[in-house]
Amino acid sequence: MADTAAKIPTVIADEVHVVYKVQGGGSRKGGATAALSRIFSRGPAPGIREVHAVKGVSFTAHKGEAIGLIGSNGSGKSTLLAAIAGLQPVARGRIFSHGQPSLLGVNAALMNDLTGERNVVLGGLAMGMSRRQIQERYQDIVDFSGINEKGDFISLPMRTYSSGMGARLRFSIAAAKDHDVLMIDEALATGDAAFQRRSQARIEELRERAGTVFLVSHGINTVRETCDRAIWLEAGVLRMDGPSAEVCSAYEAFTSGRG
C-alpha cells in the first residue's frame, strides 16, 4: 500500500451515535382495534424501547485499507456499517464518505422468487453497472460463486438455494464492481475453504483498484488474514483501533478472560 494512498481518507466517523427503537415484547391484546385506537389517540405503542447501539465512535479510514470490525454479538458492528452506508440514521455526530459506500450482507435484498440469473442482472443494475458491463462480467460472477458446480442452479429461483449459495452469489455480484468503499457483513462466514480463498483474493484486488474494504466477521482468523487494521466495538463503544494482529489478540484475551 502506497504511502500517498494511505493518506487519502475514504470514511470519517466523527463522534457517531446511533439510536433506534425496537419492540420490547409488549402485549398484543386487542389486535387491530387496539392498534387503531393508539393511532387515533397518538399514543406510543406499548413495549417500545430505545437501543443506543453505537456510542460516540470516531475513526478515519483511508484508501487501500482493509478494516475488520470485531466484537461480541450486539456490539454495534452491523449498525455502524449500515450508518456508513446511509441506511441507518445517525442520532448525533457525523459521517463523511468519499463516493457511495456499498454494503454487502448475507441478508442483502435479492428477489427470492427470481432466478439467480435475473438477480445477477438486477443486482448489477442496483450497484450502478450498465447492462453491457453486467453481460461482460456475468459468467465470471457465476463461476466465482461456484453455485453451478453441482447443477444449473443459476437458472433456478433463489428460494431453492441454500443460505450459503445465496450468500456466495451476493458476494460475487458485489465483487464484480470496483467500489470506493465496500462493506462486507459476514459474507465470508459461508462457503468452503476454496470460496473463502477466492473471496480474500478478490478483496485484495478491490483494495488495489478502488478504496476501502470493511469486513464484519466473527472469524478472528479471517480478520487476521484479510485485514491489516481492525476496529473493536464492545457494547457500542470503540475499545481499540489498530493493526489487526494486535486488536484481534486483545479481543481474544478479553473473551477468554470473560469466559
Side-chain angles (χ1 to χ4, degrees):
M1 175 168 45
D3 290 340
T4 54
K7 295 179 181 178
I8 301 174
T10 54
V11 175
I12 299 173
D14 180 17
E15 286 293 318
V16 171
H17 292 259
V18 178
V19 179
Y20 58 83
K21 296 181 180 180
V22 296
Q23 180 70 41
S27 170
R28 297 176 62 87
K29 185 177 180 180
T33 302
L36 284 172
S37 176
R38 288 194 299 271
I39 291 171
F40 287 115
S41 66
R42 298 184 179 181
I48 296 294
R49 64 187 181 91
E50 287 191 342
V51 175
H52 196 166
V54 178
K55 304 172 182 176
V57 170
S58 297
F59 66 86
T60 300
H62 300 93
K63 183 176 181 179
E65 286 187 314
I67 302 173
L69 266 67
I70 62 174
S72 307
N73 288 335
S75 60
K77 304 182 299 295
S78 298
T79 301
L80 178 60
L81 288 194
I84 295 172
L87 303 175
Q88 177 69 49
V90 173
R92 299 197 305 277
R94 295 177 294 177
I95 295 176
F96 306 93
S97 63
H98 174 71
Q100 176 58 49
S102 301
L103 175 60
L104 167 70
V106 294
N107 295 319
L110 297 185
M111 307 292 288
N112 281 333
D113 289 332
L114 298 182
T115 65
E117 179 179 12
R118 186 62 179 157
N119 272 296
V120 170
V121 175
L122 292 178
L125 291 173
M127 290 193 305
M129 297 169 64
S130 68
R131 289 187 177 273
R132 181 174 180 177
Q133 288 175 319
I134 297 169
Q135 184 177 16
E136 291 172 348
R137 303 175 191 183
Y138 172 80
Q139 196 57 50
D140 287 338
I141 293 171
V142 176
D143 292 344
F144 189 96
S145 71
I147 64 173
N148 264 8
E149 291 176 354
K150 296 183 179 179
D152 186 23
F153 283 97
I154 197 67
S155 64
L156 297 178
M158 277 198 64
R159 54 182 162 78
T160 66
Y161 293 8
S162 68
S163 60
M165 291 169 65
R168 295 200 306 272
L169 184 60
R170 291 181 181 96
F171 179 88
S172 302
I173 293 170
K177 179 180 182 294
D178 291 335
H179 302 267
D180 293 320
V181 179
L182 176 61
M183 297 176 290
I184 305 168
D185 191 351
E186 290 287 20
L188 299 186
T190 59
D192 57 19
F195 179 76
Q196 291 190 23
R197 285 193 297 270
R198 293 199 299 272
S199 301
Q200 291 172 10
R202 180 59 180 135
I203 289 175
E204 290 297 325
E205 293 176 11
L206 288 167
R207 288 173 59 190
E208 293 173 2
R209 296 183 186 179
T212 305
V213 176
F214 286 90
L215 170 65
V216 170
S217 177
H218 292 293
I220 295 299
N221 286 335
T222 300
V223 173
R224 275 198 181 97
E225 295 167 5
T226 307
C227 304
D228 42 32
R229 176 182 171 188
I231 291 175
W232 172 16
L233 295 181
E234 202 63 45
V237 177
L238 194 156
R239 289 283 299 265
M240 190 174 179
D241 178 1
S244 58
E246 295 179 13
V247 178
C248 288
S249 295
Y251 175 68
E252 285 177 325
F254 170 79
T255 55
S256 62
R258 190 175 56 179

